[in-house]
Amino acid sequence: GAVVSQHPSWVICKSGTSVKIECRSLDFQATTMFWYRQFPKQSLMLMATSNEGSKATYEQGVEKDKFLINHASLTLSTLTVTSAHPEDSSFYICSASHDRGSGGQETQYFGPGTRLLVL
Amino acid sequence: GENVEQHPSTLSVQEGDSAVIKCTYSDSASNYFPWYKQELGKRPQLIIDIRSNVGEKKDQRIAVTLNKTAKHFSLHITETQPEDSAVYFCAVNAGGTSYGKLTFGQGTILTVHP
């Protein structure tokens, strides 16, 4: 159980285009989804927290107009990188958790990640 | 915000030896401490976690100890095997929130030599 999928697994795009990444929880309802970015040989940096049916909460320094997040259902969240530039090239990983009322102690399950290369 | 420090950044051991990775955190309200293993190009996989109502948890060759007073917790791997080679990340939740936001440590590259 607790499987999270991500699509696409990799994408190459031209500078200025927009890219949409999907994150799905396959066998559980994800009340909260998280989006991370990971540069080579670095840690995971949280970009935003997404709750179903409400606006995402962005971390300091993350542009909400550039990284659009939609959590339309309990099994799907999307991240759209708008007007992508080469510096946006990175490994984007989502995670999902189910609120069981344990006050923020829920396990996060990660998707396989999406490698974005902007030319 | 939460500050998580992880040490060492790299760790090299011989097969069969033990490996210990330590993390310190700053927010005394934090109450959930998972450890993730990430192989090259793959997703982070949860290997063990501990909640603040216990001081130690063990799962076969892996154990985690927590010292809430000192605000540090450690991952212990015994009888290491080459397949344990990976990057290990500790994480700490944002205490007092209901959404479980995690802050990750910098990671430890563990290499187990046959």
Side-chain angles (χ1 to χ4, degrees), chain B residues 1 17 19 29 40 62 70 79 94 98 107 114:
Chain B
D17 288 350
L40 190 63
I62 296 173
E79 300 172 32
S98 61

Side-chain angles (χ1 to χ4, degrees), chain A residues 42-113:
Chain A
Q42 293 190 22
S43 187
L44 289 87
M45 299 299 296
L46 180 65
M47 300 175 66
T49 302
S50 163
N51 290 286
E52 186 262 340
S54 62
K55 289 184 178 180
T57 302
Y58 290 80
E59 293 300 300
Q60 192 172 8
V62 178
E63 300 174 57
K64 63 179 181 181
D65 294 331
K66 179 168 183 63
F67 299 100
L68 301 178
I69 292 172
N70 183 277
H71 193 161
S73 76
L74 285 172
T75 59
L76 173 64
S77 177
T78 61
L79 167 68
T80 301
V81 183
T82 62
S83 187
H85 289 93
E87 57 265 31
D88 298 324
S89 299
S90 188
F91 190 47
Y92 292 87
I93 314 177
C94 70
S95 71
S97 67
H98 178 62
D99 185 2
R100 291 181 172 83
S102 62
Q105 297 181 321
E106 289 77 20
T107 299
Q108 286 187 29
Y109 299 95
F110 283 83

Side-chain angles (χ1 to χ4, degrees), chain B:
Chain B
E2 180 72 85
N3 183 39
V4 180
E5 295 288 332
Q6 182 173 344
H7 297 282
S9 57
T10 60
L11 181 57
S12 183
V13 300
Q14 288 296 127
E15 182 176 2
D17 288 350
S18 295
V20 181
I21 304 169
K22 182 176 177 179
C23 283
T24 60
Y25 61 98
S26 58
D27 186 355
S28 57
S30 295
N31 56 8
Y32 176 58
F33 310 90
W35 285 91
Y36 287 87
K37 174 184 179 183
Q38 187 179 30
E39 297 177 355
L40 190 63
K42 302 283 183 66
R43 77 183 82 195
Q45 297 268 19
L46 178 73
I47 55 172
I48 197 166
D49 57 13
I50 191 167
R51 292 170 172 83
S52 62
N53 56 338
V54 295
E56 183 174 356
K57 183 177 178 181
K58 190 173 182 180
D59 182 4
Q60 299 183 347
R61 297 187 295 109
I62 296 173
V64 55
T65 57
L66 171 66
N67 184 328
K68 280 220 76 182
T69 303
K71 288 187 278 189
H72 66 72
F73 58 110
S74 299
L75 176 70
H76 305 255
I77 305 175
T78 58
E79 300 172 32
T80 54
Q81 301 166 3
E83 50 265 39
D84 293 331
S85 297
V87 182
Y88 290 80
F89 292 98
C90 66
V92 178
N93 74 333
T97 72
S98 61
Y99 299 137
K101 182 175 83 168
L102 294 177
T103 300
F104 282 79
Q106 297 81 2
T108 297
I109 302 172
L110 173 64
T111 304
V112 181
H113 299 281

Side-chain angles (χ1 to χ4, degrees), chain A residues 4-6 22-24 33-36 92-96 109-113:
Chain A
V4 178
S5 70
Q6 226 175 299
E22 291 187 349
C23 178
R24 293 181 184 272
M33 287 185 171
F34 303 86
W35 287 95
Y36 295 86
Y92 292 87
I93 314 177
C94 70
S95 71
Y109 299 95
F110 283 83

